[in-house]
Amino acid sequence: MKQALVTQSFGNEWQNIIDLTRPRMEAYCKRHSVDFILIDKPLTHPPQYSKSAIGNIMATKHYDQVTFVDADVLIAADCPNIAEDAGLFCAFDEGAFLDRKPEMVKLAGAFGGVIEPKFYVNTGVFVVHTKAVGILSMPPIGLHPNHFAEQTWLNVMAHLWNIPLTELDPSFNCMTSVESHFGLDRYKDAMIIHYAGQSNDLVKLANQIKVDDAKLVELGR
């Protein structure tokens, strides 16, 4: 099975962040024999919708499966290949403790869709198989909802396309909210540390990433 890891980072402000996180991404790719791809030009607005280009990447480069991670993640050195046993679509269901489902129903209805939400995943880390590429469908031109960027839209698409979810263990998308809710220790338990919601101060974020990276190195991770 041909696999790739895809991330995206746009503009000078994010360059320092991807410079800090990319080495661990590339090390992960080397360990698990998957290709590394960086999307560095925004294709639409909000720019997070640019990850829909994964569909084109899969079709033109003949990937069977793609793992996507946001630029603001640190991958531990002992992180296994999360694409194994991932099914068609694999992501962390944050809807288990953050109820976003009413917003999904409302957004689907605004575009004429009717759904009964079963999950609400965080799209900072996910795995998608080429057979589920419909999940990456874009909204009509000029009508890109900005509800947690593209995240709520992608969740709606997953339901409209009836894509089954393989749940990703929270240790593979260890956000601050996840860490506190599940009682995780980011340094000892997290396979992927995700700094979701911390991009309002990129200097502070960069410093936190440096601290966490050093701690992981100290622990041999």
Side-chain angles (χ1 to χ4, degrees), residues 5-9 15 18 22 36-41 71:
L5 181 141
V6 175
T7 189
Q8 59 185 21
S9 177
Q15 187 61 50
I18 194 66
R22 179 172 179 167
F36 175 80
I37 297 175
L38 170 64
I39 301 173
D40 58 4
K41 293 181 177 60

Side-chain angles (χ1 to χ4, degrees), residues 185-203:
D185 181 324
R186 70 175 61 188
Y187 303 123
K188 297 179 181 179
D189 302 323
M191 291 296 173
I192 299 179
I193 302 173
H194 180 198
Y195 302 91
Q198 300 181 49
S199 60
N200 57 319
D201 187 338
L202 292 180
V203 173

Side-chain angles (χ1 to χ4, degrees), residues 92-126:
F92 170 65
D93 182 9
E94 70 174 27
F97 65 98
L98 293 172
D99 189 11
R100 315 272 194 212
K101 294 175 183 177
E103 287 88 348
M104 288 175 60
V105 172
K106 183 178 179 181
L107 180 57
F111 285 81
V114 178
I115 62 173
E116 294 184 7
K118 300 174 183 176
F119 54 79
Y120 184 95
V121 302
N122 181 275
T123 58
V125 180
F126 67 84

Side-chain angles (χ1 to χ4, degrees), residues 4-65:
L5 181 141
V6 175
T7 189
Q8 59 185 21
S9 177
F10 311 119
N12 295 330
E13 291 185 342
W14 276 91
Q15 187 61 50
N16 190 36
I17 302 300
I18 194 66
D19 285 347
L20 293 171
T21 59
R22 179 172 179 167
R24 285 184 172 271
M25 295 179 191
E26 292 183 324
Y28 171 92
C29 291
K30 184 176 181 179
R31 287 196 307 274
H32 301 300
S33 300
V34 300
D35 296 339
F36 175 80
I37 297 175
L38 170 64
I39 301 173
D40 58 4
K41 293 181 177 60
L43 304 175
T44 186
H45 182 80
Q48 290 89 344
Y49 274 88
S50 299
K51 65 183 63 170
S52 288
I54 290 171
N56 179 267
I57 291 171
M58 296 177 86
T60 57
K61 297 184 179 295
H62 309 293
Y63 288 111
D64 301 292
Q65 197 175 49

Side-chain angles (χ1 to χ4, degrees), residues 126-174:
F126 67 84
V127 183
V128 61
H129 192 278
T130 185
K131 291 181 179 179
V133 73
I135 203 171
L136 300 167
S137 298
M138 295 282 280
I141 294 174
L143 295 177
H144 292 67
N146 189 2
H147 190 265
F148 296 99
E150 91 306 332
Q151 184 167 277
T152 301
W153 178 263
L154 192 148
N155 274 276
V156 169
M157 290 298 99
H159 285 80
L160 287 177
W161 285 90
N162 197 28
I163 303 297
L165 174 68
T166 299
E167 290 196 29
L168 183 66
D169 187 271
S171 64
F172 293 96
N173 192 344
C174 190

